[in-house]
Amino acid sequence: MDLLELFVTACVPVFNMLLVTGVGSFLATDFAGILSKEARKHLNNIVFYVFSPSLVAIYLAKTITMESLAKLWFMPVNILLAFTFGLSFGWIVVKVTRAPAKLRGLILGCCSAGNLGNIFLIIIPALCQEKGSPFGAADVCQNIGLAYSSLSMAIGAVFVWSIAYNIVRVTSNLTEGDADAQTNETKVLNSGNAIGSVAEENCSASNDCADECTLPLILTSIRPTKDKIVGFIIGGTPLIRNAIIGDSAPLRVLQESAELIGGGAIPSITLIMGANLLNGVRGGASVPPSVIAGVIVVRYILLPLLGTALVKGAVRLGLIQPDPLYQFILHLQYAVPPAMNIGTIMQLFGVGESECSVIFVWVYALASVAVTIWSAFFMWTLS
């Protein structure tokens, strides 16, 4: 298959995501008035506590075993490398653009933390359904691809709420005139279950898989991974796996129910993402064009080029299993827009909230072109 055919194949899932995102933006307008801030918060809670755990846990349980997990050890290393190099490039952007203090944490977070959750859950199933897909049978591709995507989401959530969160925390404390941000953080860290009052005021529901704004942040690096742990336990325990997973399993109704409930995760997440991006269009914040250009160059040029070299080098050294879909996901982890959770973190500290929305609008608007081009290129290198 030539590069043009692969480009057309890669366009379809990206445009699927754009269409649903557009619907979410429309539903959040004053004309529709459906996905208001309050509605997004409640929908996010449903996604976080019901849809996403069901989807992630069942696909991990179906395809991830202890043997396969041992073969996927390079994925956390790959994500760590993406975070590390993104952080380094972000630091260069801060120095070159001479960004104001309140934007430094935002720039570093956008450059280091990629959207390793909902974008994969949207793109991979749609890509597997395309006739020109180089990843084999559609049903097998979708099951395995969602498992890989779920693992990517699990690891990404831990990195975002450990690395990116602390980067913003440190830079927020160094920002002049950020007393409110420090007060918010103190309340967040000390209030435990009382965080709701702070979070609901400062957070709009914008994240990769849920509304962590309503959760104590001390636990956020643990709670987003509970469903992944359940999936690992089921998949890694033959007795439990054989009882739940498979057409002849005696408790297969649990699998079928989880798949039915989890089916609501992807459309809900995409609608919420579209609604959140509308804030950037409405916002009147001013962001230096050099900052926006710097983030775009890092996320869509430097990181994908570096990621291609790193993944190809790991393949030649025999560190990565010869699975085209697995290699494609490793490549794509370097070519996605910033994690939506960065917006949530900025809101929690009360620093650069409006500027975050503006950057997100530009970066996610260009994602349709960038992700499509890089997806086609990655598939071409693997075909």
Side-chain angles (χ1 to χ4, degrees):
M1 181 178 293
D2 59 30
L3 187 58
L4 180 59
E5 291 177 311
L6 289 172
F7 180 82
V8 174
T9 300
C11 282
V12 175
V14 175
F15 279 110
N16 285 345
M17 182 183 70
L18 283 177
L19 288 173
V20 182
T21 300
V23 173
S25 297
F26 171 75
L27 294 178
T29 61
D30 295 334
F31 178 79
I34 296 177
L35 277 182
S36 62
K37 179 179 178 180
E38 189 70 15
R40 293 198 302 274
K41 185 186 75 170
H42 292 308
L43 182 57
N44 254 326
N45 284 333
I46 295 175
V47 171
F48 182 70
Y49 289 108
V50 183
F51 291 166
S52 183
S54 299
L55 178 72
V56 172
I58 197 60
Y59 278 104
L60 284 176
K62 289 171 66 175
T63 55
I64 299 297
T65 63
M66 289 302 176
E67 293 77 13
S68 63
L69 192 59
K71 298 178 182 178
L72 302 178
W73 66 270
F74 189 78
M75 184 176 288
V77 175
N78 192 62
I79 295 176
L80 177 60
L81 290 174
F83 266 80
T84 302
F85 283 107
L87 184 61
S88 301
F89 290 143
W91 180 83
I92 295 175
V93 171
V94 169
K95 294 300 182 181
V96 171
T97 62
R98 297 181 179 180
K102 70 175 183 177
L103 295 183
R104 293 172 187 171
L106 173 60
I107 295 171
L108 294 175
C110 288
C111 290
S112 61
N115 190 330
L116 305 180
N118 55 355
I119 280 190
F120 285 84
L121 293 177
I122 297 166
I123 291 179
I124 297 302
L127 192 60
C128 290
Q129 297 296 327
E130 287 300 302
K131 295 181 180 179
S133 173
F135 303 127
D139 55 343
V140 177
C141 171
Q142 179 166 325
N143 287 337
I144 297 178
L146 282 174
Y148 291 161
S149 301
S150 300
L151 183 60
S152 176
M153 177 190 290
I155 301 170
V158 173
F159 279 106
V160 167
W161 288 101
S162 55
I163 298 178
Y165 169 81
N166 283 290
I167 289 172
V168 176
R169 177 180 62 83
V170 172
T171 55
S172 296
N173 289 338
L174 296 177
T175 301
E176 294 183 2
D178 67 342
D180 291 339
Q182 294 185 38
T183 301
N184 284 348
E185 181 192 6
T186 302
K187 290 180 180 178
V188 164
L189 294 177
N190 293 333
S191 61
N193 291 332
I195 188 175
S197 59
V198 178
E200 289 180 8
E201 292 178 4
N202 293 326
C203 292
S204 65
S206 58
N207 50 28
D208 288 344
C209 59
D211 182 15
E212 277 97 348
C213 294
T214 60
L215 299 176
L217 290 187
I218 296 175
L219 302 178
T220 50
S221 62
I222 300 176
R223 291 194 175 186
T225 63
K226 290 190 300 183
D227 47 340
K228 291 82 175 177
I229 295 174
V230 172
F232 290 147
I233 292 176
I234 295 176
T237 308
L239 182 61
I240 301 178
R241 177 186 173 86
N242 293 335
I244 298 176
I245 306 300
D247 295 335
S248 59
L251 299 178
R252 62 184 179 276
V253 66
L254 297 178
Q255 171 190 333
E256 296 169 353
S257 299
E259 289 177 338
L260 182 63
I261 296 174
I266 296 175
S268 298
I269 289 171
T270 314
L271 290 173
I272 293 170
M273 182 173 68
N276 290 330
L277 290 178
L278 186 64
N279 293 333
V281 177
R282 290 174 169 173
S286 176
V287 179
S290 58
V291 170
I292 298 175
V295 174
I296 290 173
V297 168
V298 170
R299 291 241 57 101
Y300 294 145
I301 298 178
L302 298 181
L303 280 177
L305 289 174
L306 179 64
T308 300
L310 292 175
V311 175
K312 289 298 182 184
V315 171
R316 292 196 174 187
L317 293 175
L319 301 177
I320 299 176
Q321 60 173 324
D323 180 354
L325 182 58
Y326 179 57
Q327 293 181 26
F328 174 78
I329 289 180
L330 293 179
H331 280 292
L332 196 60
Q333 287 172 342
Y334 289 92
V336 290
M340 296 297 289
N341 272 328
I342 296 300
T344 300
I345 294 173
M346 299 304 297
Q347 290 162 342
L348 285 170
F349 288 102
V351 180
E353 302 173 47
S354 300
E355 290 83 355
C356 180
S357 296
V358 172
I359 292 177
F360 270 33
V361 166
W362 283 99
V363 177
Y364 272 83
L366 292 176
S368 58
V369 177
V371 175
T372 299
I373 292 176
W374 283 112
S375 296
F377 175 73
F378 294 151
M379 288 190 292
W380 178 69
T381 62
L382 294 172
S383 60

